Structures are given as structure tokens and as C-alpha cells.
Amino acid sequence: ATQAIGGLVSITGARDDMPGGGPQKVGVPIVDILTGMYSATAIVSALLHRERTGEGQHIDMALLDVLVSVLANQNLNYLTTGTPPKRYGNAHPNIVPYQVFKTSDGSFVLAVGNDQQFRKFCAAAGLAGLADDPRFTTNTNRLRNRKELIPLLDARLREETTEYWIAALEPVGVPCAPINRLDQVFAHPQVVHRGLQINLPHSTGATAPLVGNPIKFSNTRIEYAKAPPMLGADTDHILRTVLAFDDERIQRLRQSGIV
């Protein structure tokens, strides 16, 4: 609901006139995650303030506030023009070509960020004439003539495989990437090297596959000591140590179905 109220759904998804078009939510609870991250930053900042001044303070965080604040370039697209942004699906609203393209065996992301990269892309793709076409020489012109340019690129990119385009474009400095499934993500050499999947022994005797912390400190090693507990596994410990309940009181709570 917050994604909808805050405008994120309105700018996510393909145009209404495209197959599968219409507003879409983001595939993970991104607002909740970002609110947690902003909250962590706020807590650290408040602790620093307390350390320096001796004064504590209340932190007020709201999902809607965070969502509105992270709409980034789409906010400025609206605030500087007064026109609500349109949905462009997998395309970028301000940069062309910067979107998903189909290949002969799948799809990949092409992210041409500036005019020099566009010239390099055209040379690598055998489309050098497009780099000199007045309609496409600058990003402003490419943005204006998006409808004419994209079909020309689409026809060429469909002729080769995803692997072909990645191999052709990466060495010349044209940003691009395959669209990996999660099995491919966790098998990716960089993901493996960074240790983003961890496996911990679980109380059931099985192994719990988990995702590691992305933060890497130069001096402090993050340790993973315990897998997530079973439901209620720590209830007695919390009642005894945090709330100082005795066995009799805990038993009454259990008999009454409270815990």
C-alpha cells in the first residue's frame, strides 16, 4: 500500500499500451527495507549526537516519508516540470538507450550512460552510422527520438546471443549485464567471492542457508554464530532473564495459552 500511496507503483511497469502494461509493485518490500536502513543511520547519528552533547532524542521514522525521499530523479522530473513521470518499463526516463533488450537467446541490460559510450556501442554493434545520425548524436536527441532509435537497436541486438553482446561491449567500456536468475546470482564468482551465502548448523540438525551481511569492515570481522531459532525456542529464556518470571508464572502463562 505504501508503494502505491507514495507514487512508486505509478512509475513501475510498462506503459498501458504495451503487453503486460500497467502499474506494478516492486518485487521485494523495498520501502520496509529502506526504512530500516534509514533508521539505522538515524540511530547512529543520534548516538553520535549524544556522545558529543550528552543529549538523547526521539527518532520519528515513517514508511511514506522514506519512499517519497528515495524517488530520486523521478522526483526532480516532476518538481522541475510539473508533469508526473510516465512508466517506461525497463527503460530509463532520462537516458537512451538504457533498458532491457532481447537477444537471440534471452535478454540483457544495455546501459549507455553518455554520448561517448553510445559511439562505442554503435561501433561494436556494427551500427556506426547511427552515431553520426543527427537524431541520435546526443542523449537529448536520443531521448527526443527514442521511438525511432529503439527499433533500430532492437533489430540488431536480436541477431546475437546475450553472451556475444556481453563479450563485445564490456571490453570497450559500454555498461551491460545479463539478467540473472537467483540460482545464477548465488553462483556468480563475485557473489561467491564476497561470501554472500552463508550456511549455519540448525537446531533441527539441518543446515540453514542464509544471506551474509553486505558490510565489510577493514578491522572488525562480522561473525555468524547462530541460525534462526524455531518458533518459541527462546521464549523461556526471555521470560526468565529479561522479565524475571519464575517457573510458576511461566507455567501459568503456558496453561492459559498466552505463550
Side-chain angles (χ1 to χ4, degrees), residues 90-92 95-102 107-113 117-118 120-122 125 127 149-150 153-154 157 165-166 169-170 173-179:
N90 290 313
H92 197 288
I95 307 174
V96 177
Y98 197 115
Q99 64 182 75
V100 171
F101 284 97
K102 289 189 176 298
S107 302
F108 82 117
V109 173
L110 176 65
V112 176
Q117 288 178 0
F118 182 68
K120 290 180 178 180
F121 161 74
C122 289
L127 298 170
L149 175 61
I150 297 305
L153 303 184
D154 186 63
L157 294 171
W165 288 119
I166 301 299
L169 298 177
E170 279 190 342
V174 176
C176 58
I179 301 174

Side-chain angles (χ1 to χ4, degrees), residues 236-248:
D236 283 0
H237 174 73
I238 296 299
L239 293 175
R240 287 191 175 94
T241 60
V242 177
L243 300 179
F245 287 3
D246 57 26
D247 290 345
E248 182 181 351

